[in-house]
Amino acid sequence: MGKGSQFERTISVQLSLWWSEGKEDSWFWRSVTSGARATQRAKQGKATVNAAGDLAAQCVEGQRLLDLLTFELKRGYKGICIADIWEKDKGGFHDFIEQARKSASLAGTRWAVILHKRDRREPVVYIEDTRDHSFTIMSWSDFLTPSNRDYWLRQWEENFAEKNS
């Protein structure tokens, strides 16, 4: 089993604990074929619920976060880093961004998230608002704060609470 698979499992547990405020470790898990099923079905004009990106919700509570964010997880890629955004016109991290945008489009989410972990480095989170292409970059530990959880809960309430009541 590859290091990317283990990374996805670890992140799924961490994200579950964060989103559930420490109550559950199973709200998120790796999506089937890391989003490939959603991509192939999209080529046939078919939508696939809860299948775009690298993470899938395992419960309604988890789906609230994935109504907003689509996650692409990247582990390794020694020659690629976030600085590629400024230092290169194409390739490198730009390829990650294009993949995340496509996954977010398939999922119908507003925000595309790349979580990139290079060897012996803390994971970095890149969050892009697909409407205006503004982005935020932070460490994974900074992402996993109560204030960020509150922010995303407010975003869900503003965008989806009325639709789901």
Side-chain angles (χ1 to χ4, degrees):
M1 188 130 345
K3 61 185 178 182
S5 300
Q6 181 57 48
F7 180 58
E8 290 173 354
R9 287 191 294 277
T10 299
I11 294 303
S12 294
V13 170
Q14 290 174 353
L15 196 63
S16 295
L17 289 168
W18 170 70
W19 193 241
S20 72
E21 297 181 288
K23 296 178 189 102
E24 296 291 336
D25 66 358
S26 62
W27 283 10
F28 302 98
W29 199 244
R30 301 171 60 212
S31 65
V32 176
T33 64
S34 292
R37 181 169 185 249
T39 301
Q40 291 306 311
R41 286 178 49 88
K43 290 177 184 176
Q44 302 166 20
K46 298 177 182 177
T48 308
V49 176
N50 203 23
D54 288 331
L55 298 179
Q58 303 300 304
C59 62
V60 173
E61 295 88 349
Q63 186 59 48
R64 288 181 178 169
L65 183 64
L66 297 189
D67 286 344
L68 299 165
L69 306 167
T70 300
F71 287 84
E72 287 293 337
L73 279 57
K74 303 295 182 187
R75 174 72 175 84
Y77 299 94
K78 184 172 128 180
I80 295 175
C81 73
I82 196 83
D84 292 348
I85 294 171
W86 299 279
E87 296 173 354
K88 294 183 181 180
D89 292 333
K90 59 184 178 177
F93 205 85
H94 292 282
D95 292 342
F96 293 171
I97 294 169
E98 284 307 310
Q99 182 183 6
R101 286 175 179 163
K102 287 177 186 173
S103 294
S105 177
L106 288 174
T109 60
R110 179 174 172 180
W111 289 276
V113 178
I114 301 166
L115 178 57
H116 182 212
K117 166 97 173 81
R118 295 184 348 180
D119 292 341
R120 295 177 295 282
R121 301 282 190 265
E122 183 175 1
V124 173
V125 179
Y126 169 96
I127 304 169
E128 180 177 27
D129 184 327
T130 60
R131 293 182 186 170
D132 64 10
H133 300 291
S134 62
F135 60 90
T136 303
I137 300 170
M138 67 184 77
S139 69
W140 180 237
S141 59
D142 287 340
F143 180 84
L144 297 177
T145 61
S147 61
N148 268 333
R149 182 183 181 282
D150 292 345
Y151 171 80
W152 292 112
L153 281 170
R154 283 192 310 277
Q155 288 298 319
W156 187 85
E157 289 169 4
E158 290 172 12
N159 290 281
F160 294 98
E162 289 181 15
K163 296 174 189 172
N164 292 324
S165 55

